[in-house]
Amino acid sequence: MKQKLAASMYGRYGFDELGQFLIIVYFIVALCTVFIPNFIARIVVNVISLLLLVFIFYRIFSKNIPKRTAENSVYKKRTRKIREFFLLQKNKWKYRKTHVYRTCPSCGAHIKLKKIKGEHDCACPKCGKTFHIKVK
């Protein structure tokens, strides 16, 4: 069965980050229909969610791979800052016991430093400037 599915998807675009985002949006829109009391508005939202689902499947089964790749790269470019922010927050939480994060005053880069108590001089790996930090 797995081989038949793989054979049917040969030459098709498949699933990517934009597809994941669109599925999340679809579920949010579909969930909103439960809370809409107006019948006409509920039908409109259902039609929108159905069109979104059709677009998701269209992208997955598309054979125009360069165009779908370009769409995904535009999506990734526009959401880069948001994704980097959440990745930074995840890493700050993950390494909270062993490392501290500081921001370079010159270029604004986030720097991960070992958690050694005291005052230290730190060199930014991005711009090379040295600055003074205090770790508690």
Side-chain angles (χ1 to χ4, degrees):
M1 184 69 174
K2 190 175 181 181
Q3 291 173 342
K4 287 183 181 181
L5 181 63
S8 69
M9 288 300 291
Y10 183 77
R12 310 254 181 215
Y13 183 66
F15 205 64
D16 60 359
E17 289 88 357
L18 178 57
Q20 290 174 353
F21 173 73
L22 290 174
I23 285 184
I24 291 169
V25 170
Y26 165 75
F27 280 119
I28 291 171
V29 170
L31 185 66
C32 287
T33 60
V34 175
F35 301 108
I36 297 175
N38 188 347
F39 180 72
I40 303 291
R42 190 178 317 139
I43 289 176
V44 169
V45 172
N46 275 330
V47 168
I48 290 171
S49 68
L50 182 64
L51 290 174
L52 188 59
L53 191 62
V54 167
F55 180 65
I56 291 168
F57 280 112
Y58 169 75
R59 286 192 83 252
I60 290 173
F61 293 112
S62 174
K63 288 188 174 183
N64 192 352
I65 294 173
K67 189 169 184 180
R68 301 293 89 81
T69 305
E71 291 170 354
N72 190 46
S73 66
V74 167
Y75 165 75
K76 287 172 74 174
K77 183 193 268 186
R78 290 189 179 172
T79 60
R80 182 181 58 84
K81 289 186 179 183
I82 296 168
R83 288 182 289 114
E84 285 176 356
F85 171 77
F86 283 110
L87 180 64
L88 178 67
Q89 299 309 314
K90 176 184 156 191
N91 286 338
K92 280 183 179 181
W93 179 255
K94 184 177 180 180
Y95 299 113
R96 69 188 180 279
K97 294 183 181 179
T98 58
H99 292 81
V100 293
Y101 283 82
R102 295 293 186 258
T103 304
C104 175
S106 332
C107 66
H110 297 283
I111 305 166
K112 182 171 110 174
L113 306 165
K114 291 221 182 235
K115 199 174 203 177
I116 301 170
K117 291 183 180 182
E119 296 182 8
H120 308 282
D121 287 327
C122 175
C124 176
K126 188 174 178 183
C127 66
K129 301 278 180 156
T130 304
F131 58 96
H132 191 73
I133 62 164
K134 199 182 278 188
V135 179
K136 296 180 182 181

